[in-house]
């Protein structure tokens, strides 16, 4: 699934998680799961479903008197989008340090760690010595910026 950039709020993300986990479902089925978890009223869940449909994150198919909703965006692509949009906010030169901060504080399985080591070793072969700064003047204090 390739997708356009879709901004999903934390509340809408709760709805997407239900649909990603369960596949095609009615708003009632989504509601039943979320009511237990979040205490949301039916109208609240319906509002979020409507917004996600408008954003083309959910697709709706009419079946008799009700709609069946399914995910129009993949979980993996959406997570990738979230991470990318976070790292787009900082200087390219700081991404390694911030990624390392995240790795240090998160629990990873041995399998996850081996995957990362393999990815990093293969990237190391073609990695530049330094990454150019792409920041606007006045928004960064890296060495590149101070030379301007
Ligand atoms: Zn910078």
């Amino acid at each position: 699934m390739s997708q356009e950039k879709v901004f999903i709020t934390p509340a809408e993300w709760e709805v997407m998680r239900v649909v990603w986990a369960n596949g095609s479902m009615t708003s009632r089925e989504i509601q039943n799961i979320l009511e237990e978890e979040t205490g949301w009223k039916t109208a609240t869940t319906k509002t979020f479903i409507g917004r996600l449909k408008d954003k083309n994150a959910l697709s709706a198919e009419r079946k008799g008197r009700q709609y069946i909703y399914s995910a129009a965006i993949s979980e993996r692509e959406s997570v990738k989008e979230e991470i990318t949009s976070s790292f787009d906010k900082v200087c390219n030169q700081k991404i390694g340090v911030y990624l390392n901060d995240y790795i240090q504080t998160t629990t990873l399985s041995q399998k996850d760690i081996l995957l990362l080591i393999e990815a990093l070793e293969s990237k190391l072969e073609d990695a530049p010595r330094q990454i150019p700064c792409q920041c606007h003047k006045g928004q960064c204090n890296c060495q590149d910026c101070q030379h301007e």
Side-chain angles (χ1 to χ4, degrees), residues 91-93 133-135 139-142 145:
C91 180
N92 280 340
Q93 297 185 351
C133 165
Q134 87 298 4
C135 305
Q139 286 195 324
C140 181
N141 56 7
C142 69
C145 293

Side-chain angles (χ1 to χ4, degrees), residues 5 80-89:
K5 270 192 182 180
K80 207 193 270 181
E81 199 58 63
E82 289 279 316
I83 294 170
T84 304
S85 89
S86 290
F87 282 122
D88 278 350
K89 293 173 190 147

Side-chain angles (χ1 to χ4, degrees), residues 61-111:
E61 198 190 323
R62 201 182 183 112
K63 206 175 178 187
R65 292 183 61 193
Q66 52 191 1
Y67 283 100
I68 308 291
Y69 295 95
S70 39
I73 58 175
S74 79
E75 180 175 24
R76 190 169 184 168
E77 284 300 318
S78 302
V79 170
K80 207 193 270 181
E81 199 58 63
E82 289 279 316
I83 294 170
T84 304
S85 89
S86 290
F87 282 122
D88 278 350
K89 293 173 190 147
V90 301
C91 180
N92 280 340
Q93 297 185 351
K94 294 176 182 166
I95 290 174
V97 171
Y98 294 158
L99 255 180
N100 182 52
D101 286 346
Y102 181 72
I103 287 169
Q104 295 295 341
T105 54
T106 197
T107 306
L108 295 164
S109 70
Q110 294 188 354
K111 196 178 158 203

Side-chain angles (χ1 to χ4, degrees), residues 1-100:
M1 262 190 267
S2 88
Q3 64 189 51
E4 283 183 37
K5 270 192 182 180
V6 182
F7 178 72
I8 301 168
T9 66
E12 290 163 359
W13 198 274
E14 296 292 326
V15 176
M16 290 309 298
R17 286 198 70 173
V18 172
V19 182
W20 282 325
N22 296 279
S24 302
M25 50 202 314
T26 64
S27 67
R28 161 71 46 203
E29 289 168 327
I30 297 171
Q31 165 64 17
N32 286 345
I33 292 173
L34 284 173
E35 191 165 27
E36 220 171 293
E37 281 301 311
T38 64
W40 290 346
K41 299 257 181 286
T42 307
T44 308
T45 305
K46 279 194 171 160
T47 300
F48 293 136
I49 291 172
R51 286 184 194 157
L52 287 164
K53 210 178 137 263
D54 291 344
K55 292 177 181 183
N56 294 318
L58 284 180
S59 60
E61 198 190 323
R62 201 182 183 112
K63 206 175 178 187
R65 292 183 61 193
Q66 52 191 1
Y67 283 100
I68 308 291
Y69 295 95
S70 39
I73 58 175
S74 79
E75 180 175 24
R76 190 169 184 168
E77 284 300 318
S78 302
V79 170
K80 207 193 270 181
E81 199 58 63
E82 289 279 316
I83 294 170
T84 304
S85 89
S86 290
F87 282 122
D88 278 350
K89 293 173 190 147
V90 301
C91 180
N92 280 340
Q93 297 185 351
K94 294 176 182 166
I95 290 174
V97 171
Y98 294 158
L99 255 180
N100 182 52

